[in-house]
Amino acid sequence: MLPSTRRLSTLASSTLRRQFASTPLVTERMNMFTALNDAMRVAMETDPTAVVFGEDVAFGGVFRCTVDLKEQFGEDRVFNSPLCEQGIAGFAIGYASIGRTAIAEIQFADYIFPAFDQIVNEAAKFRYRSGNQFDCGKLTFRAPYGAVGHGAHYHSQSPEAYFAHTPGLKVVIPRNPTQAKGLLLASIRDPNPVVFFEPKALYRASVSDVPVGDFTVPLGQADIMRSGTDITIVGWGAQMRVLEDACDMAEEAGVSCELIDLQTITPWDVDTVEQSVRKTGRLIVSHEAPKTGGFASEIASTIQERCFLNLEAPVQRVCGYDTPFPLAYEKLYLPDALKNFEAIKHAVNY
Amino acid sequence: MALRLLTKSLAPRARAARFFSATVGHGEFPGGQTVPYVNKIHVVDPKDADVIPAYRVLDQQGKLVQGASIPEGIDEDLAVEIYKHMIRLNSMDNVFYDAQRQGRISFYMTAFGEEGTLFGSAAAIKPRDMVFAQYREAGVLMWRGFTLDQFADQLFSNEGDLGKGRQMPVHYGSRELNYQTVSSPLATQLPQAAGAAYGFKLAKEDRIAVCYFGEGAASEGDFHAALNIAATRDCPVLYFARNNGYAISTPVKDQFRGDGIASRGAGYGIPVIRVDGNDVFAVYEATKKAREMILSEGRPVLLETMSYRQGHHSTSDDSTRYRAVSEIKHWKDTNCPMNRLKLYLLDQGWWSEERDVALKDAERSSVLAALTKAEAKGIPALDTMFEDVYAEKPRHLQDQEAEMLEHIAKYPEHYASGH
């Protein structure tokens, strides 16, 4: 399943450059689902208590993320659950509550809501409410999220803001195969429950050189994908492709953009964004999820509190509209590159 | 009367009807399911099914029922020990119920009438078994050695509370005693118990998860989620339903229409045992048998104890608004688990009225002493408020903590510590 071409390459990601300094890494060409698969393989090899389960994961998963894992690790460690999200979540919490590693899959982020009670009232508060006598930190929920072209209401949602409002949880979203592998391994090993959203539009579409073997990308750190001086643009997940296009358009028009991938939604890297906005004086936050109550609001208000004297234009949020996610009008609904380009122009001309 | 007779006379015919339909082959369906075909419509109506019987050893006068014997493992020492614990729990419930009425603690829930289910089961499981409780199972924790001081510290949310004063009273937990911390959302612990049990099974540990819940909680979706996943993953977990007749004000007739909780087990492929919950010996033996089955067969068991909630739901509830005082009195007078055990002990010459009075006095004094001690302790240190949200303290919580400390330093008189 994994591509066989291995080669030495220099890594594009600044996070990885920082982490590995000048050490060249052996990498392998992977798309996002193979990178996630690889992360879970490493997690299970290095931790005999780790189990992977959810709906349809045993045959490899509906997005192929768990392919061959059952064959390698056995059906006790890689197994199908009954079709019941609250059961998956509760089971995962209980398994983690005795100190073992649970990697649970929710088939689509749109279907995580039946598990909302278990995740918000139980997983998130497990450590706090027991005075640290019990925790379910070795727990990770994986769920495909985001627009996919034709997913309509229930195969397109981006529910990160619901979870970002819950102390005790970490919420992580990768943008490419390399970040996906490193962030997923970090999430699995983080001593806190993590909700890990995977941009399903990129499972096959995004390909990158992924370090072979065991490596992690630290949680809680944003990644400055490109440096700029005129405006800061913040996003995460699949939206980073859109924002790169918007930055290209802006740069052709003579605007220097600093593009930041937040990577961890909570707890988020305030410092990196704050430093960037102090330098550029302008900020756009962009996400697929609806605008009202979206995580952009949290970023915008925090930066306004911290960078009031540096801001030269209002912070703009370029988001999905406050409607359910539509089918026929998906293209119009999404905060695409052009909408972001317009926001950039508005900010620099303010 | 005529209608009743008619129904009665029809019932045997309805039951016999199934025998008039002949089997005409069978179908093989995915997953190895074999289903016989019949040539007549065959309605399976639960009204025709037999009620699942409840196992009992002692009658309501504390005498052995016909054909029963005292379960293996129950001797004078254990029987007396269980009874002493019943008195201790009862004393604790009386004292802290009153303490709440006096406004000394914010909330309390008693376990009056359910002492049999709690101590019968607690004595039959092993200390290494992981308990997932609902909230009315303090007796199980008490049996495991949680001290009156520890209970009192939790109730007063003081600096001695293992939970650092964060949760409402009666939300006990003890890592040392394998008793997972109680949370308020009902039935959430059910699928969690399956997950923990699965962990024990993978690690080949000789232990089970024991999950307590009320008959009301069994209406939650998590009940369904849990029993189904526990069955499909063959989890060594005991689902222990305390059917006490009420979920706050809701009687069981508004809670379900089937034969209690026990009848649901079969649908999930889970063996069930129903027990007279006011008979501590029957609960003990059934729990012991369930535990053996769970480990030897590697699958869950559902156990339902039939009892009666003698007390109010909680200190926020006056149960006489929805049930008759005479009903409560009836259960207390005729079918109280403590009294049934006491009558048995007296019969055996293992107990006396003098010892009974003396022990009740002593336990009441012990509980009052624990209350006084706990009440005198301070609340947990201020810097614990931001701890344990995460394993580490993230930057934003450090900032918020600093803000709070700065604020409190400015207006100390508005935030006096203590109760």
Side-chain angles (χ1 to χ4, degrees):
Chain A
M1 209 55 179
L2 296 174
S4 56
T5 47
R6 293 191 175 207
R7 62 191 175 85
L8 288 171
S9 80
T10 319
L11 289 156
S13 157
S14 57
T15 308
L16 292 175
R17 272 204 305 276
R18 279 203 301 276
Q19 196 179 2
F20 292 99
S22 58
T23 318
L25 287 167
V26 179
T27 64
E28 205 170 276
R29 201 90 183 135
M30 292 186 194
N31 65 25
M32 188 168 285
F33 82 71
T34 53
L36 292 162
N37 180 277
D38 197 36
M40 283 185 270
R41 180 170 284 105
V42 171
M44 297 191 83
E45 279 168 349
T46 53
D47 178 354
T49 74
V51 293
V52 169
F53 64 97
E55 294 158 15
D56 305 301
V57 303
F59 88 114
V62 295
F63 291 109
R64 314 314 293 148
C65 293
T66 54
V67 85
D68 289 338
L69 293 179
K70 186 185 82 178
E71 287 66 27
Q72 186 176 345
F73 298 103
E75 58 188 3
D76 281 350
R77 294 182 64 195
V78 182
F79 52 91
N80 291 334
S81 69
L83 208 166
C84 182
E85 287 77 15
Q86 65 199 88
I88 293 169
F91 190 90
I93 293 167
Y95 189 79
S97 77
I98 56 164
R100 326 230 160 144
T101 300
I103 306 167
E105 179 178 306
I106 302 292
Q107 203 158 70
F108 286 85
D110 311 66
Y111 306 128
I112 204 166
F113 301 112
F116 202 65
D117 182 46
Q118 283 285 353
I119 298 173
V120 170
N121 274 332
E122 296 290 317
K125 299 169 177 59
F126 220 84
R127 186 189 299 274
Y128 191 73
R129 75 183 187 201
S130 73
N132 202 24
Q133 291 194 88
F134 294 96
D135 70 81
C136 60
K138 295 179 130 184
L139 159 63
T140 306
F141 293 111
R142 294 176 41 241
Y145 91 97
V148 70
H150 50 271
H153 297 353
Y154 308 114
H155 299 82
S156 307
Q157 292 182 56
S158 298
E160 66 271 13
Y162 292 105
F163 296 97
H165 194 57
T166 303
L169 292 180
K170 293 192 178 179
V171 181
V172 177
I173 306 182
R175 72 170 182 277
N176 67 22
T178 302
Q179 308 307 110
K181 180 178 173 183
L183 287 168
L184 181 57
L185 262 172
S187 298
I188 291 167
R189 290 167 179 170
D190 190 86
N192 299 287
V194 177
V195 181
F196 190 90
F197 289 123
E198 301 164 1
K200 68 175 109 43
L202 305 187
Y203 273 139
R204 287 169 194 277
S206 179
V207 177
S208 65
D209 295 314
V210 180
V212 167
D214 199 341
F215 90 102
T216 55
V217 172
L219 303 189
Q221 285 185 20
D223 187 28
I224 302 172
M225 290 171 63
R226 65 170 87 177
S227 291
T229 51
D230 297 331
I231 185 164
T232 301
I233 301 174
V234 174
W236 49 87
Q239 191 63 6
M240 298 320 295
R241 282 189 317 177
V242 173
L243 297 177
E244 280 189 286
D245 290 347
C247 291
D248 289 344
M249 292 161 82
E251 276 167 28
E252 268 178 43
V255 180
S256 166
C257 302
E258 181 142 305
L259 182 60
I260 298 177
D261 176 5
L262 206 58
Q263 300 195 120
T264 299
I265 310 306
T266 46
W268 65 289
D269 185 353
V270 179
D271 289 344
T272 296
V273 179
E274 181 182 342
Q275 276 166 27
S276 176
V277 176
R278 282 185 188 282
K279 177 176 71 177
T280 62
R282 295 176 180 86
L283 174 65
I284 288 172
V285 188
S286 181
H287 56 61
E288 282 180 19
K291 188 173 191 175
T292 300
F295 198 68
S297 310
E298 180 59 35
I299 297 172
S301 57
T302 303
I303 293 304
Q304 181 272 136
E305 282 174 358
R306 289 172 177 250
C307 306
F308 187 68
L309 294 177
N310 304 89
L311 285 170
E312 293 174 29
V315 177
Q316 293 178 82
R317 293 171 291 158
V318 184
C319 306
Y321 300 115
D322 291 334
T323 68
F325 198 105
L327 181 61
Y329 287 121
E330 170 168 330
K331 192 171 153 49
L332 203 56
Y333 171 87
L334 285 172
D336 64 7
L338 195 58
K339 290 178 189 173
N340 277 284
F341 178 56
E342 277 302 296
I344 293 168
K345 285 197 296 186
H346 180 71
V348 294
N349 294 327
Y350 188 82
Chain B
M1 197 59 181
L3 184 67
R4 174 175 279 232
L5 283 172
L6 187 67
T7 323
K8 268 195 167 174
S9 64
L10 278 179
R13 281 172 56 195
R15 204 170 291 187
R18 75 180 69 159
F19 300 110
F20 297 138
S21 60
T23 302
V24 285
H26 63 270
E28 296 290 347
F29 294 94
Q33 199 182 7
T34 304
V35 178
Y37 293 120
V38 289
N39 60 6
K40 296 276 192 305
I41 290 178
H42 186 130
V43 177
V44 179
D45 191 330
K47 281 190 299 198
D48 300 332
D50 294 330
V51 171
I52 297 170
Y55 175 60
R56 106 184 325 196
V57 176
L58 295 182
D59 68 15
Q60 282 160 226
Q61 285 70 46
K63 312 271 191 216
L64 274 176
V65 299
Q66 197 185 356
S69 53
I70 295 302
E72 202 182 317
I74 300 265
D75 55 13
E76 179 176 350
D77 285 350
L78 184 60
V80 169
E81 198 56 31
I82 287 174
Y83 183 67
K84 285 178 171 175
H85 275 80
M86 286 179 168
I87 288 183
R88 169 170 288 200
L89 177 63
N90 206 253
S91 306
M92 184 169 96
D93 280 351
N94 277 311
V95 168
F96 284 111
Y97 182 84
D98 290 346
Q100 195 284 333
R101 301 281 86 177
Q102 296 160 2
R104 295 161 84 176
I105 57 174
S106 59
F107 181 76
Y108 195 72
M109 299 177 107
T110 64
F112 296 134
E114 297 187 58
E115 296 88 352
T117 67
L118 301 181
F119 293 111
S121 59
I125 57 176
K126 304 290 180 195
R128 62 181 174 275
D129 295 336
M130 183 67 81
V131 172
F132 291 78
Q134 179 167 301
Y135 49 60
R136 215 181 293 285
E137 295 90 359
V140 177
L141 189 56
M142 180 177 275
W143 184 261
R144 292 185 162 210
F146 210 62
T147 65
L148 289 175
D149 284 338
Q150 288 176 308
F151 282 115
D153 285 347
Q154 199 283 332
L155 295 169
F156 278 97
S157 48
N158 65 25
E159 61 194 346
D161 173 21
L162 295 172
K164 306 188 187 178
R166 292 170 182 154
Q167 287 212 89
M168 284 174 75
V170 311
H171 291 53
Y172 310 114
S174 169
R175 184 184 175 85
E176 194 194 339
L177 300 176
N178 288 314
Y179 190 96
Q180 289 226 0
T181 303
V182 166
S183 73
S184 307
L186 287 180
T188 48
Q189 78 278 21
L190 273 74
Q192 294 171 12
Y198 190 70
F200 299 148
K201 180 175 177 154
L202 283 199
K204 298 187 165 51
E205 292 184 46
D206 177 31
R207 64 200 290 211
I208 67 170
V210 183
C211 183
Y212 292 88
F213 55 98
E215 89 288 344
S219 296
E220 293 281 2
D222 275 333
F223 170 88
H224 158 70
L227 270 73
N228 201 32
I229 201 166
T232 57
R233 294 316 301 168
D234 296 318
C235 299
V237 52
L238 172 58
Y239 283 111
F240 193 106
R242 296 179 295 97
N243 185 345
N244 63 15
Y246 290 90
I248 307 188
S249 73
T250 305
V252 291
K253 72 174 177 55
D254 294 338
Q255 198 64 250
F256 49 71
R257 278 295 150 94
D259 179 16
I261 311 305
S263 68
R264 300 178 196 171
Y268 294 105
I270 295 179
V272 302
I273 306 174
R274 178 176 275 165
V275 195
D276 176 355
N278 298 326
D279 177 350
V280 67
F281 291 169
V283 175
Y284 173 84
E285 194 179 13
T287 307
K288 221 170 118 181
K289 183 180 174 57
R291 189 180 188 279
E292 283 161 15
M293 276 179 72
I294 288 163
L295 284 171
S296 65
E297 298 180 19
R299 59 180 181 148
V301 169
L302 171 63
L303 191 151
E304 181 181 23
T305 56
M306 308 301 290
S307 68
Y308 183 78
R309 196 192 76 211
Q310 287 182 11
H312 301 301
H313 164 70
S314 72
T315 47
S316 309
D317 170 55
D318 171 9
S319 67
T320 60
R321 292 175 65 170
Y322 50 81
R323 60 181 185 180
V325 174
S326 58
E327 177 187 305
I328 304 170
K329 188 172 177 332
H330 170 77
W331 283 88
K332 277 187 183 169
D333 292 349
T334 66
N335 200 349
C336 168
M338 272 182 71
N339 201 43
R340 280 169 68 178
L341 178 58
K342 181 181 163 186
L343 291 172
Y344 178 80
L345 296 180
L346 292 174
D347 255 11
Q348 300 299 304
W350 293 348
W351 197 248
S352 66
E353 290 294 354
E354 295 72 37
R355 285 177 75 186
D356 207 57
V357 171
L359 185 65
K360 281 176 179 163
D361 283 350
E363 288 296 348
R364 187 176 166 80
S365 303
S366 302
V367 177
L368 285 169
L371 180 148
T372 309
K373 218 161 115 186
E375 199 169 25
K377 290 184 191 171
I379 60 173
L382 200 51
D383 59 8
T384 60
M385 181 173 152
F386 289 89
E387 275 176 5
D388 307 327
V389 179
Y390 295 91
E392 68 286 354
K393 198 181 289 178
R395 169 72 187 279
H396 70 287
L397 287 185
Q398 294 175 31
D399 291 348
Q400 290 175 21
E401 182 177 15
E403 271 175 37
M404 180 196 73
L405 291 173
E406 198 179 322
H407 180 76
I408 208 169
K410 202 169 171 186
Y411 299 103
E413 69 280 8
H414 289 273
Y415 303 95
S417 61
H419 296 284

